Structure formats: C-alpha cells, structure tokens
Amino acid sequence: DSGVTQTPKHLITATGQRVTLRCSPRSGDLSVYWYQQSLDQGLQFLIQYYNGEERAKGNILERFSAQQFPDLHSELNLSSLELGDSALYFCASSVDPGATEAFFGQGTRLTVV
Amino acid sequence: QKEVEQDPGPLSVPEGAIVSLNCTYSNSAFQYFMWYRQYSRKGPELLMYTYSSGNKEDGRFTAQVDKSSKYISLFIRDSQPSDSATYLCAMSGLGGATNKLIFGTGTLLAVQP
C-alpha cells in the first residue's frame, strides 16, 4: 500500500457528463500529480500541485481541471466527457517536487459509454 | 516522435533468465532516470532511480544510463515469476525527479516458472 488513496476505484458514465476524481496524498506529502494511462498513449502527465498551488501542466485538456485543497487532498474534474477519455487516472504524491520518488495510488478506472 | 521510446513487448522468459529492458529518449534535458514496476490493476511503484549517467545496482536489479547515446537499460538477474509485471521507464529534467515525469509506454514481462 503506497499510502495514496484514490476514490472511486471504478466509474462508468455517459458521454457529455462530468465526473470528479479524488485523491488523498500520503501523510506529509505536499506535492500531488495526476496522470492518465491509456492503452495507446501510456502514462501521460496531466498536472502537478504543490501545497495548494498549481506547479506544472502537461497535456491536460481544457475540459479537465484540478485543484488541491488546504488539507492537501486533490480533485480532478473531467467534463463534457468523450469516449476517448476512458482510461486509468492515477494520482501520485511526493514530499516535494524535488523528491526522488513519487508514490502512486491504485488509480480510478473511468469508462465513458 | 515520442520523447521516450520503449518496446512494449510482451517479453517472455524462463525463470532464472537475465532480462534486459531498454528505453531511448530524445530530450537532452533529461537528468533523472527511473524504472517503475506496475503489476496488473495496480499503480506504478519506483524500482530504480539514477541521476545523470552511470550504473546503479540494487539486489538483482541493475540500471544503466548512457546519456551520450540517450539510452537507458534495466537488467534483472535470476528472474522470478514474481517479476512478471509491466516495466516503465520514466525521465525528468530540471525541477526534480518527480517533476513532469515522462514515461515510456511500458514493457510487459512474463517470467515462466
């Protein structure tokens, strides 16, 4: 168990809908990262937060947004969902952006039908 | 062209074999090189971390980085069925080892008993 908790584990929703994925980082970790894993693209970096502030952005779609709350948990919001958004979404955390290791959660499997 | 290229496999070897996994990359700014292991339905976990060029050994695992050739390798000695997993190379540049990690697509390894 990495100590990173993601909910829900599975999510099935229809096209056009909006969902929220939740992540609780390891105790003491200030940095949170979101990744998308699909069969054709592999693991893709979406966005990073550090102590509540956005720190770095990857190839995150405009339909996606995220935030990190004062208690350090993070949420990834996906809206106007398309079939191609079906993927595994991972959250990872580290003590800070300079840490040598990021700890990954178990992921949320999103299926858009 | 992707920044990081990795042969997806699958790679099937008999128990006890030496396994060689490789990645090539194109971005000269990468300074941190990692190997993550991902079991089915789980999040990735850090296996090996190397900064800049050189070799690093940890038990049955050896990581090599050749920055001049933009080539990294992971060797597994005396492979075990429990090593069966997807192995992902990952890299990052300035900003730290966990900052905007770029992953390879992963190589699926099966060690046959």
Side-chain angles (χ1 to χ4, degrees):
Chain A
D1 182 5
S2 67
V4 178
T5 303
Q6 288 188 248
T7 56
K9 286 188 170 51
H10 303 277
L11 200 49
I12 301 174
T13 190
T15 54
Q17 295 298 305
R18 173 190 167 95
V19 297
T20 296
L21 313 184
R22 184 188 168 99
C23 170
S24 294
R26 288 190 327 153
S27 176
D29 285 358
L30 300 180
S31 278
V32 168
Y33 314 80
W34 285 97
Y35 286 85
Q36 179 193 57
Q37 188 174 40
S38 59
L39 282 174
D40 55 344
Q41 293 291 326
L43 204 57
Q44 302 272 307
F45 169 72
L46 295 178
I47 197 163
Q48 175 194 352
Y49 282 84
Y50 174 65
N51 204 20
E53 299 292 325
E54 183 184 303
R55 184 68 182 255
K57 258 186 175 178
N59 296 325
I60 186 167
L61 299 172
E62 285 192 14
R63 300 183 286 109
F64 295 1
S65 65
Q67 59 184 127
Q68 186 180 26
F69 295 86
D71 67 352
L72 301 177
H73 91 272
S74 179
E75 292 181 356
L76 178 66
N77 300 296
L78 315 176
S79 61
S80 302
L81 284 167
E82 302 174 359
L83 295 177
D85 297 327
S86 296
L88 262 172
Y89 290 85
F90 285 105
C91 169
S93 73
S94 66
V95 171
D96 57 49
T100 56
E101 182 168 5
F103 295 85
F104 283 76
Q106 301 267 42
T108 293
R109 181 173 294 280
L110 173 67
T111 303
V112 182
V113 297
Chain B
Q1 183 189 6
K2 290 185 176 181
E3 280 188 282
V4 179
E5 299 279 358
Q6 183 175 10
D7 186 338
L11 184 60
S12 182
V13 301
E15 185 175 352
I18 296 175
V19 176
S20 172
L21 304 167
N22 311 292
C23 287
T24 58
Y25 63 95
S26 57
N27 190 341
S28 300
F30 288 146
Q31 297 186 46
Y32 302 90
F33 303 90
M34 287 136 288
W35 287 93
Y36 279 79
R37 179 174 61 193
Q38 185 175 20
Y39 290 112
S40 180
R41 303 183 190 281
K42 301 286 188 184
E45 56 179 347
L46 183 66
L47 197 58
M48 298 286 284
Y49 158 81
T50 309
Y51 173 71
S52 194
S53 283
N55 295 356
K56 189 169 186 178
E57 190 172 319
D58 184 2
R60 297 183 295 111
F61 300 89
T62 300
Q64 289 184 351
V65 174
D66 182 350
K67 290 187 72 177
S68 62
S69 302
K70 296 190 179 66
Y71 188 88
I72 72 169
S73 301
L74 177 70
F75 297 95
I76 307 174
R77 290 183 300 280
D78 187 25
S79 56
Q80 302 294 309
S82 58
D83 295 327
S84 299
T86 296
Y87 289 80
L88 302 147
C89 61
M91 309 174 191
S92 65
L94 294 174
T98 53
N99 193 44
K100 294 182 73 170
L101 281 177
I102 306 297
F103 282 84
T105 49
T107 300
L108 179 61
L109 171 67
V111 181
Q112 307 297 335

